[in-house]
Amino acid sequence: MMNTQHAMVRWGLVLFVAVALASPGASAQVVKKKRAAPAQVVAPKAKAKPKAVKTRKAAAPREEPKRLVVLTVEGDRGGKVRGQLESALRRSKQVKVQSLKQYATLAKKDGLKGAALFTDAGLVAVAPRMKLDAAVTGTVGPSGLTVRVLDASGAVLGEKDVKLTRGKLSSAEAKSAVLAVVGSLSSAPRAFEPPASVTPSEPIQPAEPVAPPPVVAEAPPPKTPPPAPGEGGSIMIPRPEVPAPVAERPVESPKPLPPAERPAKVPEQTPEVVAIGPQPTDGPPPMDEDPESHTTTDPFLEVALDTGSGGTVGNEPVRPPLARLTLGGTTTWRKYCARPGVKSCDEFDRKSEDEQLGDRSDYESTVPYLGISAELELLPLARHASPLRGLGAVLGYRRGYASTNVTLFNDAGQSVTREVVATDSVLTAQAMYRYYFGLGSSQLLGYAGARAGLLTRSFDVDESADSPLSGTHRLYPAVGLEVSVPLIRQVRLEAAGQLFISPQPGHGFDDEGGALDLEVSDYGTSVSTFGWEAELGVAGELWGPFGYQVRFKVSRYKDTFSGPGTRTGWDNGGVAEDTYSSIHWGLTASY
């Protein structure tokens, strides 16, 4: 009996499940669940947020720093002060410093050459192409550095005097100069506006607004209805917990809302537009944005030209140093000859021995004699913007010590040779004028000039040696020309020549007992002299204000005597020829 009841209960349950599954409502509900299940899983992943659209709070626009170029600083030996000023402006990040090298390149493309590269015309021509708002220049003087700020038209916006410590800017003075430059630019209008920012002031609405994906709310599990009376007693079969779908239709792209129904703009969700690809700008792109791409360690790479006494860089002329001192030594060879009754020593030597009558003297340095030399060039007007800034003076002193043998021949052909100790002294005091010019696109100044003044040359023989050779003393005016052509900073070619005006012997500052008169009376009653000097050499800068100079110089005198002299055979005058060949070498210091 019990087995029969158990069998009836099992068959009753099977029948109940079959009826429940076969009912139309249950079939429709199962179909709905199967259709909605994919929408719940796929819909949130199918519509991801576009990466090109980000939301953040809009930042206030920042004003672009003004663009300027630092021109050359006049009187800045080696360009150190200009380099310090440019570096201080770059580090401040309050202005955008452009390359002077590119400035000069653009000016040359506009047909400007020489000093015109850095005049007002050059600045006006280059400023629009580099979008410059200003230029900075300056002058180094005895009192320090004068910083000058110019606008794009060349007008002066402001000036500032700062001190220099040992020819350099200290950190405090560099900051003071930067503040002066920035202060002068703050009150000046911007000459060239920077390109407009691509960030709009108002958020840009996309043509097809993208709506956020629908949020699928997790529905609570449905409650199982109680079984109807008579349909299986108290036994219940739980259904699987499947959340009910929110929408029965497939997900579609939302249509744009009309303007009246769009939600109000929220500042915190202002979209940021990300520009992709090249953007159009007004004018050419800015040049040389890398502040370190055009730095250089060579201060003479920057251009500072002068085409003469009136040449300028910006508004200021390029000027030579105020003073230059040369200290060094000399190496000299002397050759002297005196012959009676002829016009030259060669004429006498070509005669036969029977015709070579009278006293004659020969002196020739078998070895060169050494000495010391000093020369000082002064240009007191070099710091003034005047055509006379090349006017100056030169003072020089040389002294050499000679020891050699001298041979004297008499009428009988007998010779006497004695050792002679002598001193060779030269004094120079001349006025000069130099016309300065620049070569190429580098800060290399050459010059061509003239000089005129007094020279003295004394060859004193030791009287205690009882030498047959008499000394010579000359005091005379001289005029000459000179030229210096720079090749590079370390090498420049120099040449000079002078013409001596009547450099007769027997003239000097000291004439005790009429000793100088004997230099003429021994050979005749009167004398006429012709003399000249030529030199060629190289010079250059080694380090800072210090340099070198090496020159080869030849000085020649020819004395033609007339009338009877006191020496044997000098009844009708004769000739004496005196030639000095020397090498001058030394170090230079400029200020």
Side-chain angles (χ1 to χ4, degrees), residues 146-157:
T146 299
V147 180
R148 189 172 296 104
V149 183
L150 312 175
D151 64 7
S153 64
V156 178
L157 296 177

Side-chain angles (χ1 to χ4, degrees), residues 16-33:
F16 174 77
V17 172
V19 172
L21 295 175
S23 62
S27 300
Q29 190 172 5
V30 172
V31 171
K32 291 179 180 180
K33 292 178 181 179

Side-chain angles (χ1 to χ4, degrees), residues 262-578:
R262 292 178 184 174
K265 300 172 184 178
V266 182
E268 288 75 11
Q269 298 181 354
T270 301
E272 177 186 2
V273 177
V274 179
I276 302 176
Q279 301 298 317
T281 58
D282 296 334
M287 302 177 59
D288 196 8
E289 294 296 337
D290 184 5
E292 300 299 332
S293 63
H294 51 266
T295 56
T296 177
T297 58
D298 187 2
F300 284 88
L301 186 61
E302 312 298 350
V303 184
L305 304 180
D306 182 14
T307 56
S309 296
T312 59
V313 171
N315 291 331
E316 295 294 331
V318 176
R319 303 184 180 101
L322 285 172
R324 174 173 292 166
L325 177 64
T326 303
L327 297 176
T330 63
T331 303
T332 307
W333 293 262
R334 187 194 184 208
K335 183 177 182 180
Y336 176 85
C337 68
R339 302 289 188 268
V342 292
K343 300 298 182 180
S344 67
C345 292
D346 290 339
E347 179 184 349
F348 185 90
D349 295 338
R350 287 195 297 266
K351 293 181 178 182
S352 62
E353 294 184 1
D354 296 338
E355 296 177 344
Q356 295 179 356
L357 302 176
D359 293 340
R360 59 187 186 272
S361 299
D362 289 278
Y363 176 96
E364 185 171 0
S365 303
T366 55
V367 294
Y369 56 88
L370 302 179
I372 58 174
S373 67
E375 186 177 77
L376 176 63
E377 298 176 359
L378 298 174
L379 291 167
L381 303 179
R383 293 291 182 262
H384 297 273
S386 169
L388 299 179
R389 64 191 180 96
L391 187 63
V394 57
L395 304 173
Y397 176 74
R398 300 197 305 270
R399 187 175 182 88
Y401 302 88
S403 177
T404 188
N405 295 327
V406 176
T407 303
L408 177 67
F409 295 88
N410 56 22
D411 290 341
Q414 297 176 348
S415 63
V416 178
T417 302
R418 290 179 180 157
E419 184 179 0
V420 175
V421 177
T423 59
D424 180 22
S425 303
V426 179
L427 287 174
T428 303
Q430 293 181 305
M432 64 179 181
Y433 181 82
R434 288 176 175 174
Y435 180 89
Y436 287 87
F437 57 87
L439 295 179
S441 59
S442 57
Q443 192 177 12
L444 299 176
L445 284 179
Y447 62 82
R451 59 171 62 188
L454 291 176
L455 278 75
T456 68
R457 183 138 205 170
S458 302
F459 193 85
D460 293 304
V461 180
D462 186 6
E463 298 179 358
S464 62
D466 191 20
S467 170
L469 179 66
S470 62
T472 57
H473 297 78
R474 306 175 191 269
L475 173 62
Y476 52 90
V479 295
L481 300 175
E482 59 181 352
V483 64
S484 176
V485 180
L487 303 180
I488 57 176
R489 178 173 176 261
Q490 292 78 15
V491 178
R492 64 176 182 267
L493 300 180
E494 297 183 336
Q498 294 194 85
L499 181 64
F500 303 149
I501 301 175
S502 188
Q504 298 174 355
H507 296 275
F509 293 110
D510 186 14
D511 186 11
E512 295 182 0
L516 298 183
D517 293 337
L518 297 178
E519 297 179 12
V520 178
S521 61
D522 284 350
Y523 304 101
T525 56
S526 62
V527 63
S528 63
T529 305
F530 175 77
W532 55 269
E533 183 178 79
E535 58 182 301
L536 180 66
V538 295
E541 308 296 334
L542 296 176
W543 178 74
F546 300 103
Y548 72 96
Q549 184 183 80
V550 179
R551 291 187 178 186
F552 177 74
K553 181 179 296 186
V554 176
S555 302
R556 180 171 176 80
Y557 306 87
K558 183 177 181 179
D559 303 320
T560 302
F561 298 93
S562 60
T566 60
R567 289 199 173 189
T568 304
W570 289 79
D571 299 330
N572 193 23
V575 67
E577 297 177 358
D578 200 0

Side-chain angles (χ1 to χ4, degrees), residues 80-96:
K80 295 181 179 179
V81 176
R82 181 202 170 278
Q84 287 184 303
L85 182 59
E86 184 180 49
S87 298
L89 288 170
R90 290 188 190 280
R91 290 194 300 267
S92 69
K93 298 183 180 180
Q94 301 184 59
V95 292
K96 188 172 291 185

Side-chain angles (χ1 to χ4, degrees), residues 232-274:
S234 61
I235 298 175
M236 301 176 60
I237 299 176
R239 298 178 182 178
E241 297 181 359
V242 179
V246 176
E248 297 182 3
R249 60 185 177 86
V251 177
E252 298 178 358
S253 299
K255 298 180 179 180
L257 297 176
E261 299 181 6
R262 292 178 184 174
K265 300 172 184 178
V266 182
E268 288 75 11
Q269 298 181 354
T270 301
E272 177 186 2
V273 177
V274 179

